[in-house]
Structures are given as C-alpha cells and as structure tokens.
Amino acid sequence: MAGTDSKHSVDETSPADDLGVPDCPSQTGFRHSIWKCLLLYPLATLPLGVGLLLAYWFPVGWMRATGHKCPLYSATYVILKDINGKECVEVVRRVEMEGSEEGATEDAKCSEKQSLLAARSAVLMYFEHRHLRFIYQHDGGRYVLLRSYEQGHTCEAIHLLMDGLSNETHSERLKVHGPNSMDVPVKSYHALFIEEVLHPFYVFQMLSVLFWFVDEYYYYSGCVLFISLLSVLVSLVQTRRYLKQLHDMVAFSCSVTVIRDHKEIKDVPGDSLVPGDVLVVPPSGMVMPCDAALLTGTAIVNESMLTGESVPVTKTPIPSDATPYNPTLCKRHTLFGGTQVIQTRFYSHSSVLAVVVRTGFYTAKGGMVRSILFPKPLTMKFYLDAIKFVLIMAVIAGVGVAYSITIFQVHHFEVKESVLRALDIITIAVPPALPAALTVGTVYALNRLRKQQIFCISPQRVNLCGKIKLVCFDKTGTLTEDSLDLQGVIPASGGSFLSLVEDPSELMPGPLLHAMATCHSLTTIDGEVRGDPLELKMFSSTKWVLQEPGDDCTRFDSVIPTIVHPPHVVQVPNHDQLLSDAGSTTATPTLGPIDIGGVELGIMRQFTFSSDLQRMSVMVKALPTPDPKLLHVYVKGAPETIHKLCQPSSIPPDFFQVLGELTKKGLRVLAVGHRKLHMPWNRAQRMQRSAVECELTFCGLLVMQNKLKPATTPTISTLMDADIRVVMVTGDNLLTAACVARECGMVDPCHRVIHLSASAAPSHDMHGQPSISYSLLGEGKDLCQGTTISMESNIGVTVHKSLRPFHLAIDGHAFGIVRQCFPELLPQLLVKGTIFARMSPDQKAQLVSDLQSLGYSVAMCGDGANDCGALKMAHAGISLSEAEASIASPFTSKVADISCVPKVIKEGRCALVTSFSVFKFMAVYSLIEFVTAAILYYYSSNLNDFEYIYVDLVIILSIAFVMGFTGPHPHLVKERPPGTLAGVHVVFSLLLQIALMIVAQVGALYYLKSQYWYVPFVPKEDSQNLVNSENTVLFEVANYQYIAVALVFSSGAPYRRPFWTNYWFVLCLLVIMPFNLYLTLAPGTWWVWLWDKLGLVQPPSLWFRAGIVELACLHFLLAYCIEVYILPTKWMKTLLRVMRCKRIPRNRYKHVLASLDSSWPPVQLESQISVN
C-alpha cells in the first residue's frame, strides 16, 4: 500500500542491514476507539479478567479490537511487522522542536534526508522498535529508520565537521537521536513477579491448583502451589541477576571533551553526545562511549570486548576523499563504543580528534546488546512438534472431559461434581510441568560445558549443536598456532631471487630489511612491544629496536612517529659481494661488521592491514638523509596481491614457481614491495591509498612456518569418522591452505584436490564472458588444459572418469565470480568444496549462509575478528577466546584449540536426546495417570490427595529432574539423533508404549477380579469413593509403570552414557523402587497411618501381591524389548520408512550429491579440449 498521508499503512520493507531491521517496515496506523474501549474493557474484566489476560498475551489483536485504522500522521499506535514476520505494537511519541533553519539544515547533513525532519516540522513524531528510532517523514507519509553517518556520507564530508556543532544544532539532534546511553532496565521483583505469573504455563498451573482445591485436594494443591511459588522466586532471582549483569555490562557514564561552537573545547557528559560531535581523544586513552570516525592522529585500541581478540589494533584517520564512509567497511578508521583506547599520538602534542558517527544502541556494542535482548528466533522442529503434541494432549483431554461427564451423569452425580472431575482430567492429560522439563537437558549441558571452559550466551543453540553436519574452520590461530616460526627471507634483486637467508638480521640495510622493521602495527604498551603475533615475529627477527614517541623525536618535521633503529653495531652483508652476485639465484651474501648505529626510520603514515585488500603499507622517513622530501613506501601482503602492484621488471620470472614450492610445503609466505616518493610531507599525507600502493619494486619473500596445534589432527579425524564434514575457510594462500588440509587429515593423502579458478569478463572486451577452469593441485597436471567454460557454453565435454575422490579448492575471487556469474554451479561447489582460501570476512559469512541454504546444519570455529560475521551466521559459532563470554559468538572456548568442537557437538546431541527422553517420559506419564483416572472414573472413584502427591511430586518430579544428569557418550557416531517429535520412529515408540501400558492396567484389573476374595466395589453417593481395591491395584501398577518408562527412555549409547553412570538417577530409583515394593508386598498392618493416608486396601493374598510385581516386571521387559531390540532393527526401520513414505532426501545437499557424476568437474588428462 502506498505510503501517503491518506493511507493507513505502508508496506515498503527494504532489506535488513547491519542494524538488523529494515529501513521502512510494513506499518499501519491506529488510534483507540472510544466506543470500542467502553464496550470491550468492561467485558474483558467480567469473566475473572480472562479478556485482559488475552489482551496481555495478544497485544496486536487487542489493538485491532479496541482501535481503528487511521493515517500514520495522526496515529497514536503503529502496528509493524518486524524482520522475522512477527507483528508488534509500538507507541508513537511526539517531541516539540524549535524548528530553527540552522538546526534543520545541520540535521539534514547528519542523517539521510528521509530519516529526519524533511519539512522542518515543529513536532517530531517517532516510535522506538528494539531500541531503534523510526522517524515520521512528512514527504513520504511513513516512518523510516533514523540514520546517522553510517550510510550516505563520504569521508570528505565527515572531515568537514572538524569545527564541531553549534549549541543549537546539538540541542536539536539530542531531541532527534536521544541520549547516548544504553539503558537495559532492571525491573523490580514486583514487576517480574507479575510478568512471570501471567505466563501461560503458570496461569494454567494456578487454574489447576484452584480446581484441585475446590475438589478438596487440599494437601496436593498446597504442595503444588508451594513448589510453583518456589519456582517463580528462583526464576525471578535468576532473571533479575541476568538483567543486572547485562545492565552493568552496558551501563557506562563518563565525562568527555568535545569541540563545540567553532573549536571551543568543553567537557560534557558522555550521554549528551550526538552524531556530528567532535570528540577529543586523550593521549592516555579512554573507554569509547560511542562509535567515532578518527579524523586526526592514530590510536591503539583493545577491541577484545567486541571481537574476543586481545591483540591491540592500530586505528588511523579516515581518508579525506570521496570514499563512502561505512563503519563496518572502514573499521580500521573507526573507534567503536565500549572498546578501550590504550593510547593516541599525533603531531607535536596536537589533539587527536574523532567525529561521533553512532550513539546508544546504534553503535557496534549496542548492536550486540540488542542481539542478546532480541535474539534471532531459532525454528527448531523439536519445539514446534512439542507444541503440536500439547495440542494433541488437549484433544485427548477434551475426549476425557466428554467421557467423565457421561460417566458421572450415568452414576447420577451432581453437576458440580461432574464438572470438577471433568476439569480435573484436563490437568492430568496436559502436564503443566512439560515446558520446564524440556529445558532440563540444556541446563545440564551448559553446566558441563562450563566446567570444560566452554561458555554459551545463547542456550537455545545447544540443541541445534546436536544436528551439526558440517564444521567450518579458520586456519591461522584455529587449526594452526598463533605464533609463527620465521624460516627466513628470500631477497630479490635485479629481477631474480637470491638464496634463502635464515637470519634476517644478517641482511644488508635496504628495502627488505627496512620493510620488516617498519611495515607493521606494533606498539609499546607498558614497555612491552605488542601486536599481531606474525608482525612480532617478523620485527623481532631483525633485532631492531622500536621506540615510541618521546621528547627527542622532533627531527621529523614536527611529527612524532614511531621510530625504529638497529643496534649500534650489527653484522651486515658485504655490499660489493652482494652486487657481484645479484644476478645469481644461488648466491649467498657474505657478512662483515659495519657500524650503522646512526640510522633511524620514522613511520610517518600507516595504511593498516585490510582483509579485503590483503595488504598493509607504511610511509617511512630515514635520518640522516640528504633529501628532506624523500619518503619510502613499504608494502607487505599476500604474494598474489603484491605481484599485481609491482613493476613487472622487478618480479623474478620464476615467482609463481618459487611461491608454489613454498606453499605446497605448508609454509606461509608474504611478499614485500617498495617505492620512493619525492614530495613534501603534507602532500604525501593527503595521498589516497591506491595512489601510494602502486608501481612498487619487488623486494622479496618472507617465509614462515605455521605449525598445527596438537589437538587439530585428532579432532579432524574424530569429526570425519563421525561423518561430519569439515571445511577450511581462511584468508591465507590457497596452496598453503591445501597443504595444511592434507597435513591435518582434512584431505586424505589419496584424494585429489582440484583448484577451481574463475576469471571475470575483460573490461575492454564488450563480448567477453566470465569463465572457469579446473586444475589439479599437488600432481603438476592440468585437469582441463586449455579448457575454458564460459557462461554461454552448453557443449558437452568428453571426460575422463576419475575413480579417486576429489575435493574442490577455490579462492575468494573465484568464489565471488561463481556466485555472481555461475549460480547454477554454486551447489556443486558447496557440496564438494573443502578449501576456501583468500576469503574476506563477508565472504566467510556468505559461505556459511550458502551452506545453510542447502540444508546443512553448520558450525563455525574461529579465533579472530575476521570470523565474527561467520560465527554469528552459523547455527553454532565457537570463538577461541580468553574471554569467558565473548559476545562475538554464541559459544566461547577458553581452551584455544578446536578440541572444543566435538565437545559441543557431543553435548548438543546429549541435550537433544535428553529433551526427547524427558518429553516422552512426561507424555507417557500423563497418559498413564490419565488412563488410571479414567478407569477409576468408571467406578466413580479417583486417586486421593496423597496418592497424587506421591506420584507427581515424589516419583515424577524427582525422576524428571535427575534424568538430565546423564552425560554425553565419549564417542561421536555417524548417525545424528532425530530432530523432530513428529517422526514416525518417535510416534510409533510412544504408541507402542501407551498400548502396552493400557494392556497392563486393564490386565491388572482383570487379575484382581479373578481372585476368589474379590468383592465388587459399590460407590456411595455421599462419598468421594477413594478407598477400594481397584484404586489400590491401579495405583501400585501405575507406580511401577512410571519407573519402567523412565528406565526405558533413559537410553545410553550412542549419544549418552549408560544410565547407571547417572548416580543421582540411580539413587532416585534405589529410593523409590524399594518403597513401591513395600507398598505392594508389605502387610496392611505395618505403618497403618501410611495406608490410611494413601487410602490403600491391601489385598489379603501375598501371592496376588507378588503377581502384581511379576506383572510390573513383565511390563518392563516388554517395554525394554520394544525400545531396544525391536524399534532399532533394520526391518523395523524399513517398515517405518515405508510408513512415512520417504522416497527422496529432504535436505537439498543430498540431492546435489546424488546428481553428481563423473562428468563434473570436467576432466581430460589425455588431450586438450576447446569449448567455444
């Protein structure tokens, strides 16, 4: 519907962005209708407030019932549909605005035009949804998401804000954006209590207690009421403690220094910051109260709170060009809220400035807090099936109600008595404790994971881990060690490689050595050089000294840079000898002592490492130097990237051959380039990065060895033995990744690795087409020599049928081309791809999403900030971090290796099976009690107060509570546990157990009637008829049945340990079972008060009582055989498969795998193929 003032609703939902909500969600305006409210509110309060309770549960429906649609500009409420398709009601707020022309103009610069006051209205209308503001736009007649500087602004435009805001503009923006705070309210115990008791679970339980009390079950209703109140109080304490922890984590107040009114510096409270404020970041650092784009200077930041990675990160100013600014894409230039700025530096004691770009819940930290407050709904079929089962039980209860009323009317009971008994059977058929019982397995699994140093902030994902079919691993720091062993450097000179130099400190002073000493983001914190482990290893190998800015560093044009210099006397190569051997690839530089203690290098400007660009660079000035305008640029990065940036004449002809030989050995290789700039410093400061990092002279290669972690290979083997697919997703070189994959066992030694490469259409050729090709890695042969498959190719290819399994390897560039130009090839790539190299952070997240679209349950394990997107996207993201609860992913392991992955999967399987077991136990328990009550109703009888207490509170509550203590099985098996309660196997199991239970109870009743001493029970009209032989026999038989189904459903292997390892469960059985035997076998003259309380009539025959025990044993044996020996058999599985009519797999990836044959990938080893 079009969004105009004359319309009531708008439906122009745009795709969700990094804020997790659409810019313009579907929205409908409403106002309260006076006559509807006068009519419905009294009606809602009449039947015990049931109507108000429904209004509390269904606010959207109540809004539609009591209100009427109206144009959005006059609406007081808005019904909108969120990103998950769920409708909610939000209250419209109005704020009086001064409407000054200056404020409106400045605000238009601050945000997208459609997000603010397009018409300079005197009244600002907005509503808040998930702590984000939606502002009414008069021109479009709709509410749109309020924006700041995260979209629609260039870096150049942000630089123009350096003078600060005027006080008037600040006041206007404060009204529009609200305070810079993240208020997570900690509700009072009274408010939490009201919310808790109004939950449908507790409402149903309280109604049940009321019915039991009216039905004169005083003791039972009192006990249930006490336990319910105790449960509510425990839940209140836990909920309030959680809210308090979250509140304390996000609450932050400080005083900050800002520039206002044309460079006037003043101190203001941190919560008064608005987008556009210019913030002064002190040299000693601070905790950032907002997201801010760095304008001047550099900052060393600890971002572990956001990423879980404790390595300090260097932030540099945003470029002053027309590049679009986005906090996510420009994260190396953005100071994020909640992170700790350790230190800053700039020109001679000048201020480091940053422009506030996002405040409050709009910040990166705010986004993570919102993801905790409003987690992404996980549609697991198990919980949906549980709801369906409850509805089925409600239908059964309805049948029981009809049966009860009929029986009691036949026996001429009063209407009140008939209604109470009918309502009572509803509470029996639908167990009120069922929702709580389903969470038992998850709670115990979380406790066991915590003991193994694995922490979880999203408990609902534990059961999802039980269905994991594929695990993606980052390489560096995850599969391999963080630290690197530097094997040496291979210098290049005159377009040729020299021999490997194992000790870089022996290099002659020159571009390669200087690059290793300067091209990094290291800093000194508390006298210790800190930074990325790779850069630490590279710099320490030079044996140079890093000196942070000090009072004596004023020789660099008043710039205070980081300075590096060598020791006073070092061993350097003999220059003449090196030149004479420059043309040889086998020459080894000779050494000789030369004093170069006076050389110092100042790092004047730094372009930090970018995962997308796969490189970093620095501008360096050397002293002493005869030319003050001479600057040196050093660039290091991926060899393929540096190769493209270097002058062809400086690149050795055997570049890729040498690179291939190194990477095939699993070595990590970086390339180094150098160029000279001759210009004033202020001009160099304004150069764009692309203009700096070009026309380089190739200097050489850095060769490092990244060893596997001890736990990597056995963990990969464990997962593959369990038929869990493993995939490597890394930013490293493809050949290095392939070697590591073979080394850790991800790729079997006898399997082939096929490299899928792709090329885009040439920009100069209008008729060119993107193409893909395949080549064999590790065997030196091209599988498709000269073969190019273009977008328009439909010609068949003669192929060579390969008998050996293969794995696809692809880099990020080819992955992007395949997704864009060859979408029909993407499913095959996803099901056969094992190595994904040179992948950017966004591509990692996209890969996880693509795998999920094929039906894979995906886990992702990584250690760095580059993996955050994929960690959040996966069903189970596991971050290897020192933090206990990194909000970068659902799971965090303090043990920094991948051994946590099978532990999480085992616990997930255990929790899922436990949830199934407890659910089936609770379902069969309710049906056992339902059948018992239904049979007794036939005799106008029922269980008495203390019998219900013994069954529900002693047997059921204790068993359901301790069943979840059983731990996971130590071994992972290939078969995954079922994920649905509606599966034929589960339903058939329940039906057989229920049928067996009914037969046992009816058989016990006929066994009683066959006894010579049996006297038929004659009900009395003025009594509850609770004491009789039928009651006693059915009560005792049912007690054994509860124990039997608990044992039968406490399955052990292959997902859980045997039940006898659950000591609490065994102890519970050892207490309950002897007591049941005592109630059955002991004479009625013992403990007379006990028989009186339970209302038991002990049969006079000991042989009959022993027969009841034998019947219980027979029931257990048959139930056990059904569950353990019949249902798991092959013929039964075949029968069940036929019953559920399963002909083809449901998961899409299985269809793709089944469709693959020897024609893909196209392979021809004997002759050349040409495809037009």
Side-chain angles (χ1 to χ4, degrees):
M1 189 176 293
T4 64
D5 285 356
S6 62
K7 300 295 183 181
H8 304 316
S9 63
V10 173
D11 189 4
E12 297 182 11
T13 304
S14 61
D17 64 352
D18 57 329
L19 291 176
V21 296
D23 281 341
C24 182
S26 173
Q27 50 195 257
T28 306
F30 274 85
R31 294 181 67 91
H32 273 309
S33 171
I34 296 178
W35 70 268
K36 287 184 178 180
C37 292
L38 291 176
L39 176 65
L40 292 178
Y41 272 97
L43 293 177
T45 58
L46 287 179
L48 299 177
V50 174
L52 294 179
L53 189 62
L54 292 175
Y56 176 79
W57 288 343
F58 307 104
V60 175
W62 184 251
M63 184 72 255
R64 295 185 187 277
T66 60
H68 62 83
K69 290 184 179 181
C70 65
L72 286 169
Y73 70 84
S74 62
T76 55
Y77 298 90
V78 173
I79 294 180
L80 70 153
K81 186 176 294 185
D82 63 19
I83 193 173
N84 302 312
K86 183 179 179 181
E87 289 187 325
C88 57
V89 180
E90 302 295 354
V91 180
V92 175
R93 295 178 172 87
R94 288 172 166 79
V95 177
E96 296 291 334
M97 302 291 289
E98 296 178 5
S100 67
E101 183 175 353
E102 179 185 3
T105 303
E106 293 288 345
D107 244 342
K109 296 178 183 178
C110 171
S111 297
E112 289 184 294
K113 293 180 180 179
Q114 70 270 24
S115 299
L116 293 180
L117 307 175
R120 301 194 191 120
S121 172
V123 178
L124 170 69
M125 296 187 298
Y126 71 93
F127 64 81
E128 291 191 355
H129 173 62
R130 296 191 171 186
H131 296 296
L132 299 178
R133 285 194 176 187
F134 288 77
I135 305 295
Y136 183 72
Q137 180 202 34
H138 289 270
D139 291 345
R142 59 181 181 175
Y143 286 89
V144 293
L145 179 64
L146 176 65
R147 289 287 184 179
S148 297
Y149 287 103
E150 68 269 21
Q151 284 187 2
H153 296 269
T154 64
C155 296
E156 183 180 16
I158 293 179
H159 267 283
L160 297 177
L161 303 172
M162 193 174 295
D163 291 343
L165 302 175
S166 66
N167 288 329
E168 293 79 9
T169 303
H170 172 265
S171 177
E172 292 292 314
R173 290 192 182 178
L174 190 60
K175 291 180 181 179
V176 174
H177 292 272
N180 174 38
S181 62
M182 286 180 283
D183 184 21
V184 179
V186 181
K187 298 179 181 179
S188 65
Y189 284 110
H190 176 264
L192 289 174
F193 179 81
I194 297 298
E195 288 185 3
E196 194 74 17
V197 297
L198 291 182
H199 189 277
F201 163 66
Y202 283 110
V203 169
F204 179 71
Q205 202 157 38
M206 291 302 104
L207 289 175
S208 301
V209 169
L210 178 63
F211 293 142
W212 295 329
F213 187 83
V214 174
D215 204 20
E216 300 181 3
Y217 284 90
Y218 302 122
Y219 293 105
Y220 180 71
S221 59
C223 290
V224 172
L225 180 61
F226 173 77
I227 293 176
S228 298
L229 290 176
L230 184 63
S231 174
V232 168
L233 293 176
V234 171
S235 178
L236 290 185
V237 173
Q238 292 178 342
T239 302
R240 198 169 192 277
R241 182 185 298 126
Y242 168 75
L243 290 175
K244 185 70 167 58
Q245 290 175 347
L246 188 58
H247 176 272
D248 294 342
M249 182 182 76
V250 303
F252 178 72
S253 61
C254 65
S255 178
V256 296
T257 303
V258 298
I259 296 178
R260 296 259 174 87
D261 283 331
H262 305 290
K263 298 188 177 181
E264 178 185 347
I265 297 178
K266 59 174 65 176
D267 292 335
V268 298
D271 59 3
S272 69
L273 292 174
V274 296
D277 262 328
V278 178
L279 186 66
V280 178
V281 187
S284 58
M286 63 184 296
V287 177
M288 289 299 298
C290 58
D291 288 356
L294 196 60
L295 292 179
T296 61
T298 59
I300 309 299
V301 186
N302 183 348
E303 295 185 334
S304 60
M305 193 281 297
L306 293 181
T307 66
E309 191 172 344
S310 59
V311 176
V313 180
T314 300
K315 303 286 186 174
T316 58
I318 60 173
S320 56
D321 54 23
T323 303
Y325 175 75
N326 182 283
T328 303
L329 300 178
C330 302
K331 60 184 179 181
R332 289 292 185 179
H333 311 299
T334 304
L335 306 175
F336 293 105
T339 59
Q340 173 71 54
V341 179
I342 302 173
Q343 64 184 32
T344 64
R345 58 177 180 262
F346 193 36
Y347 294 87
S348 304
H349 307 294
S350 299
S351 298
V352 173
L353 305 180
V355 171
V356 176
V357 293
R358 297 189 297 197
T359 59
F361 283 99
Y362 285 82
T363 63
K365 179 181 178 182
M368 291 188 173
V369 174
R370 287 189 297 108
S371 69
I372 296 175
L373 294 173
F374 311 104
K376 180 182 178 181
L378 301 174
T379 56
M380 188 168 184
K381 196 167 177 55
F382 170 73
Y383 297 107
L384 298 178
D385 291 341
I387 295 174
K388 294 177 183 177
F389 183 84
V390 170
L391 294 177
I392 293 174
M393 297 298 293
V395 173
I396 295 175
V399 175
V401 168
Y403 165 81
S404 303
I405 294 176
T406 303
I407 288 295
F408 285 115
Q409 288 302 305
V410 169
H411 289 84
H412 306 291
F413 274 66
E414 296 181 359
V415 175
K416 174 186 175 183
E417 183 70 17
S418 300
V419 172
L420 287 176
R421 294 295 176 87
L423 293 175
D424 185 37
I425 207 167
I426 294 178
T427 65
I428 295 174
V430 183
L434 183 61
L438 293 179
T439 63
V440 168
T442 299
V443 171
Y444 295 144
L446 289 175
N447 290 334
R448 288 191 294 266
L449 286 173
R450 193 176 295 112
K451 292 178 181 178
Q452 300 177 79
Q453 300 294 295
I454 302 172
F455 302 89
C456 177
I457 62 171
S458 183
Q460 65 268 32
R461 292 183 183 265
V462 173
N463 279 353
L464 286 177
C465 295
K467 299 294 292 181
I468 294 299
K469 182 63 178 176
L470 183 148
V471 184
C472 296
F473 290 102
D474 180 35
K475 184 181 77 68
T476 306
T478 303
L479 299 175
T480 61
E481 298 284 358
D482 281 318
S483 60
L484 299 168
D485 293 331
L486 187 66
Q487 299 295 297
V489 297
I490 303 179
S493 178
S496 300
F497 279 119
L498 304 180
S499 61
L500 177 72
V501 178
E502 296 184 355
D503 187 357
S505 64
E506 298 177 353
L507 286 171
M508 179 188 71
L512 182 57
L513 179 63
H514 292 170
M516 297 178 66
T518 59
C519 195
H520 52 70
S521 301
L522 302 178
T523 186
T524 301
I525 301 175
D526 297 329
E528 179 184 357
V529 179
R530 296 179 60 184
D532 183 85
L534 182 150
E535 294 181 338
L536 281 171
K537 182 68 69 173
M538 178 187 71
F539 178 75
S540 63
S541 69
T542 65
K543 300 181 181 178
W544 281 42
V545 179
L546 184 143
Q547 181 180 347
E548 292 286 4
D551 295 335
D552 58 340
C553 299
T554 59
R555 293 169 288 164
F556 297 88
D557 297 335
S558 299
V559 179
I560 305 182
T562 296
I563 299 172
V564 296
H565 59 80
H568 293 296
V569 178
V570 295
Q571 296 290 325
V572 298
N574 183 288
H575 184 70
D576 295 333
Q577 179 67 34
L578 181 59
L579 289 178
S580 64
D581 296 333
S584 172
T585 60
T586 59
T588 302
T590 60
L591 304 177
I594 300 178
D595 186 355
I596 59 169
V599 176
E600 290 185 341
L601 302 177
I603 304 174
M604 315 298 290
R605 188 180 181 189
Q606 181 184 99
F607 295 100
T608 54
F609 176 76
S610 167
S611 299
D612 295 322
L613 299 178
Q614 297 180 342
R615 64 181 184 267
M616 76 160 294
S617 62
V618 291
M619 282 187 183
V620 173
K621 189 171 185 179
L623 279 183
T625 177
D627 187 353
K629 294 184 178 181
L630 179 61
L631 298 173
H632 297 268
V633 175
Y634 298 106
V635 186
K636 82 170 190 300
E640 302 90 338
T641 301
I642 303 300
H643 177 272
K644 297 176 183 178
L645 300 176
C646 289
Q647 298 175 358
S649 60
S650 67
I651 298 176
D654 56 348
F655 177 88
F656 286 106
Q657 179 183 348
V658 173
L659 177 62
E661 292 174 353
L662 294 172
T663 53
K664 287 177 183 178
K665 297 177 182 177
L667 299 173
R668 185 170 185 181
V669 183
L670 295 178
V672 176
H674 163 256
R675 71 174 295 194
K676 295 180 181 180
L677 293 176
H678 192 270
M679 62 180 64
W681 162 243
N682 54 1
R683 179 183 168 191
Q685 181 72 10
R686 294 191 298 269
M687 289 186 67
Q688 296 185 14
R689 182 169 187 167
S690 58
V692 173
E693 299 172 339
C694 63
E695 299 180 4
L696 305 177
T697 299
F698 180 68
C699 299
L701 301 175
L702 309 183
V703 183
M704 291 157 285
Q705 185 177 17
N706 205 188
K707 296 181 179 178
L708 289 175
K709 293 182 178 180
T712 296
T713 302
T715 300
I716 295 296
S717 176
T718 298
L719 295 174
M720 295 182 69
D721 289 344
D723 199 23
I724 296 175
R725 187 178 159 205
V726 289
V727 170
M728 183 188 299
V729 189
T730 177
D732 207 344
N733 178 274
L734 187 142
L735 293 177
T736 301
C739 181
V740 172
R742 287 196 184 275
E743 186 179 355
C744 70
M746 193 175 289
V747 174
D748 192 271
C750 65
H751 290 182
R752 289 179 173 178
V753 177
I754 299 176
H755 177 202
L756 189 157
S757 57
S759 59
S763 58
H764 60 275
D765 186 359
M766 296 181 60
H767 302 287
Q769 292 290 335
S771 61
I772 56 173
S773 60
Y774 304 87
S775 59
L776 186 63
L777 294 182
E779 296 186 13
K781 295 182 180 179
D782 191 355
L783 292 183
C784 229
Q785 297 176 13
T787 300
T788 298
I789 303 177
S790 68
M791 283 185 70
E792 299 178 351
S793 173
N794 294 315
I795 299 177
V797 180
T798 304
V799 299
H800 172 77
K801 184 175 179 65
S802 174
L803 300 178
R804 294 167 55 185
F806 68 91
H807 302 260
L808 287 182
I810 188 172
D811 59 25
H813 174 71
F815 180 74
I817 294 176
V818 169
R819 292 195 78 256
Q820 181 177 1
C821 303
F822 298 91
E824 72 284 354
L825 182 63
L826 184 61
Q828 293 101 303
L829 168 63
L830 295 175
V831 298
K832 296 302 293 184
T834 301
I835 301 163
F836 294 83
R838 296 297 188 209
M839 298 285 282
S840 68
D842 289 341
Q843 286 180 321
K844 290 183 179 182
Q846 186 62 60
L847 173 64
V848 172
S849 177
D850 290 341
L851 289 168
Q852 290 172 333
S853 68
L854 288 183
Y856 283 108
S857 294
V858 182
M860 172 72 194
C861 184
D863 72 320
N866 294 336
D867 305 315
C868 285
L871 290 171
K872 293 178 182 178
M873 182 67 67
H875 293 108
I878 308 173
S879 172
L880 306 183
S881 170
E882 295 180 359
E884 280 194 5
S886 169
I887 55 180
S889 66
F891 294 90
T892 302
S893 173
K894 294 185 71 174
V895 179
D897 59 47
I898 65 171
S899 62
C900 59
V901 175
K903 294 176 183 177
V904 170
I905 296 176
K906 289 176 187 176
E907 289 292 354
R909 292 184 174 186
C910 179
L912 186 58
V913 172
T914 298
S915 297
F916 271 84
S917 299
V918 175
F919 181 88
K920 292 197 292 185
F921 171 70
M922 295 296 293
V924 175
Y925 136 70
S926 63
L927 289 174
I928 291 174
E929 200 169 58
F930 176 83
V931 171
T932 301
I935 294 176
L936 290 177
Y937 278 10
Y938 180 80
Y939 295 98
S940 302
S941 181
N942 197 0
L943 299 177
N944 75 5
D945 215 345
F946 287 94
E947 285 176 318
Y948 275 122
I949 290 176
Y950 177 67
V951 171
D952 290 353
L953 304 184
V954 176
I955 297 180
I956 304 304
L957 189 63
S958 58
I959 288 179
F961 180 76
V962 300
M963 279 181 73
F965 277 116
T966 305
H969 197 273
H971 303 293
L972 281 175
V973 295
K974 291 185 177 182
E975 186 176 358
R976 295 182 298 167
T980 173
L981 286 168
V984 176
H985 185 277
V986 177
V987 173
F988 202 62
S989 170
L990 285 174
L991 291 177
L992 288 178
Q993 295 295 344
I994 292 169
L996 183 62
M997 172 268 298
I998 295 174
V999 169
Q1001 289 203 26
V1002 173
L1005 201 59
Y1006 277 100
Y1007 180 45
L1008 170 66
K1009 291 182 177 182
S1010 67
Q1011 301 302 307
Y1012 67 90
W1013 44 261
Y1014 170 72
V1015 177
F1017 175 67
V1018 180
K1020 300 178 181 179
E1021 293 185 3
D1022 57 346
S1023 172
Q1024 288 188 324
N1025 304 310
L1026 301 179
V1027 180
N1028 51 73
S1029 298
E1030 289 83 354
N1031 176 300
T1032 301
V1033 170
L1034 290 177
F1035 171 71
E1036 292 177 350
V1037 169
N1039 288 345
Y1040 291 115
Q1041 289 181 331
Y1042 300 133
I1043 303 296
V1045 294
L1047 284 170
V1048 167
F1049 292 145
S1050 295
S1051 56
Y1055 307 115
R1056 298 196 299 174
R1057 293 180 180 273
F1059 76 87
W1060 57 80
T1061 61
N1062 184 345
Y1063 302 120
W1064 288 105
F1065 182 67
V1066 172
L1067 178 62
C1068 186
L1069 295 181
L1070 291 178
V1071 172
I1072 295 175
M1073 194 61 187
F1075 188 75
N1076 285 348
L1077 290 172
Y1078 172 79
L1079 292 180
T1080 304
L1081 300 176
T1085 55
W1086 297 1
W1087 285 8
V1088 177
W1089 65 271
L1090 179 62
W1091 304 106
D1092 293 339
K1093 290 293 183 182
L1094 292 175
L1096 300 180
V1097 178
Q1098 193 69 307
S1101 172
L1102 178 61
W1103 290 107
F1104 174 80
R1105 302 199 295 270
I1108 293 295
V1109 177
E1110 293 174 358
L1111 178 64
C1113 293
L1114 178 62
H1115 170 264
F1116 169 72
L1117 291 175
L1118 292 176
Y1120 185 80
C1121 290
I1122 289 173
E1123 202 71 20
V1124 177
Y1125 294 109
I1126 297 179
L1127 289 177
T1129 57
K1130 291 184 178 180
W1131 65 268
M1132 180 57 71
K1133 289 182 178 179
T1134 303
L1135 175 63
L1136 295 178
R1137 192 177 296 111
V1138 172
M1139 290 176 61
R1140 63 179 173 175
C1141 301
K1142 184 174 181 181
R1143 297 289 185 268
I1144 57 176
R1146 295 179 181 177
N1147 293 320
R1148 187 183 169 200
Y1149 71 86
K1150 294 182 179 179
H1151 292 271
V1152 177
L1153 285 171
S1155 66
L1156 295 180
D1157 55 28
S1158 59
S1159 66
W1160 189 86
V1163 177
Q1164 176 58 266
L1165 296 178
E1166 299 169 359
S1167 62
Q1168 182 171 320
I1169 307 172
S1170 180
V1171 181
N1172 297 321

